């Protein structure tokens, strides 16, 4: 028995997420034999290790083939997203679009927040960590832009509290920051296309929400939030052992 594999899985089940620079996680991501042992044990319980190079953490998710046995038919479990209501899922999608998509662009161009212009296009450098490229957004600006369509202040505060508790976001004063799960448990390939060319297209034609208060945006922003809210149940977040996996791969 490989005790390290057992310990890594137990730690992930206990803590939900671990950082990519954790010693055991780094081994799982670089040692093919060790990773195969971890994957085999997880598969036996219907789980898999979930990671992507753009996120600073890893977590566990259900394998797709066991989802119906856990959640029932798709029309039953598609709304079982960590207990989030429709406006909560819509808020999650808006936060993902405003925080993760700009971060991905900075990572893909190897551009840190405090980038040296001479290093912007140095592709030999590794992809910058999320903590070096992820910028928070202003709560007051978010409320001004989307509050009317996402339940106003009371509902938004409640949903933000739940998203923070679940690990999707972190809050520091007025600023909402990326949590360990925000870039792990969303299907980037599906959502990016829908957001940039669909429900939030009008939002991405203007500057992203700043990490400082500003005036409310145009009515198009509120209309976009409503459009996200409508199909929200069709783009659920994935989860650990308690939610379906809709990530890429």
């Amino acid at each position: 028995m490989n005790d390290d594999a057992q310990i890594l899985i137990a730690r992930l089940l206990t803590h939900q997420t671990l950082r990519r620079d954790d010693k055991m996680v780094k081994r799982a991501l670089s040692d093919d034999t060790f990773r195969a042992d971890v994957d085999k044990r997880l598969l036996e319980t219907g789980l898999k290790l979930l990671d992507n190079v753009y996120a600073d953490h890893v977590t566990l998710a259900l394998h797709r083939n066991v989802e119906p046995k856990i959640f029932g038919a798709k029309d039953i479990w598609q709304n079982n997203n960590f207990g989030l209501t429709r406006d909560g899922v819509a808020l999650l999608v808006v936060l993902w679009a405003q925080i993760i998509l700009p971060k991905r662009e900075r990572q893909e161009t190897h551009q840190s927040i405090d980038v040296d212009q001479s290093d912007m296009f140095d592709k030999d450098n590794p992809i910058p960590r999320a903590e070096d490229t992820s910028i928070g957004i202003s709560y007051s600006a978010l409320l001004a832009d989307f509050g009317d369509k996402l339940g106003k202040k009371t509902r938004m505060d409640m949903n933000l509290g739940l998203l923070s508790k679940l690990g999707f976001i972190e809050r520091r004063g007025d600023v909402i920051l990326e949590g360990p799960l925000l870039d792990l448990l969303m299907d980037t390939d599906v959502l990016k296309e829908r957001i940039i060319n669909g429900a939030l297209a009008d939002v991405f034609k203007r500057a992203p929400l700043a990490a400082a208060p500003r005036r409310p945006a145009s009515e198009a922003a509120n209309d976009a939030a409503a459009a996200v809210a409508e199909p929200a149940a069709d783009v659920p977040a994935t989860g650990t052992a308690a939610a379906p996996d809709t990530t890429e791969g």
Side-chain angles (χ1 to χ4, degrees), residues 38-134:
V38 171
D39 287 344
K40 177 177 180 295
R41 295 187 185 206
L42 288 172
L43 181 60
E44 290 172 349
T45 57
L47 300 173
K48 70 174 184 178
L49 182 66
L50 193 64
D51 78 280
N52 72 60
V53 297
Y54 300 100
D56 284 349
H57 296 78
V58 300
T59 189
L60 299 179
L62 286 174
H63 267 281
R64 294 184 187 278
N65 60 356
V66 303
E67 289 175 8
K69 299 175 183 178
I70 304 300
F71 295 104
K74 184 175 179 63
D75 59 348
I76 296 176
W77 61 252
Q78 67 179 357
N79 289 317
N80 185 20
N81 298 304
F82 297 97
L84 292 171
T85 55
R86 183 179 294 271
D87 58 356
V89 175
L91 175 60
L92 175 61
V93 173
V94 168
L95 291 170
W96 180 86
Q98 294 288 347
I99 296 174
I100 298 302
L101 287 184
K103 183 199 74 170
R104 286 284 184 98
E105 183 176 356
R106 285 187 288 271
Q107 288 176 307
E108 288 173 355
T109 57
H110 295 242
Q111 181 179 354
S112 296
I113 296 172
D114 299 320
V115 65
D116 181 341
Q117 294 297 321
S118 63
D119 294 333
M120 282 183 62
F121 302 104
D122 185 356
K123 301 300 183 179
D124 292 332
N125 291 332
I127 293 176
R129 297 175 302 175
E131 64 184 26
D132 295 328
T133 52
S134 186

Side-chain angles (χ1 to χ4, degrees), residues 170-227:
E170 296 178 0
R171 298 191 65 178
R172 298 178 189 173
D174 183 66
V175 180
I176 301 170
L177 299 166
E178 172 186 350
L181 294 181
L182 189 60
D183 200 10
L184 279 174
L185 303 185
M186 304 289 280
D187 190 332
T188 300
D189 291 340
V190 172
L191 287 178
K192 185 175 181 179
E193 178 66 22
R194 292 185 185 180
I195 287 169
I196 293 179
N197 298 315
L200 290 178
D202 289 334
V203 175
F204 280 89
K205 290 178 182 177
R206 58 180 173 81
L209 294 180
R214 62 178 177 81
R215 299 291 295 173
S218 66
E219 288 300 321
N222 286 333
D223 293 341

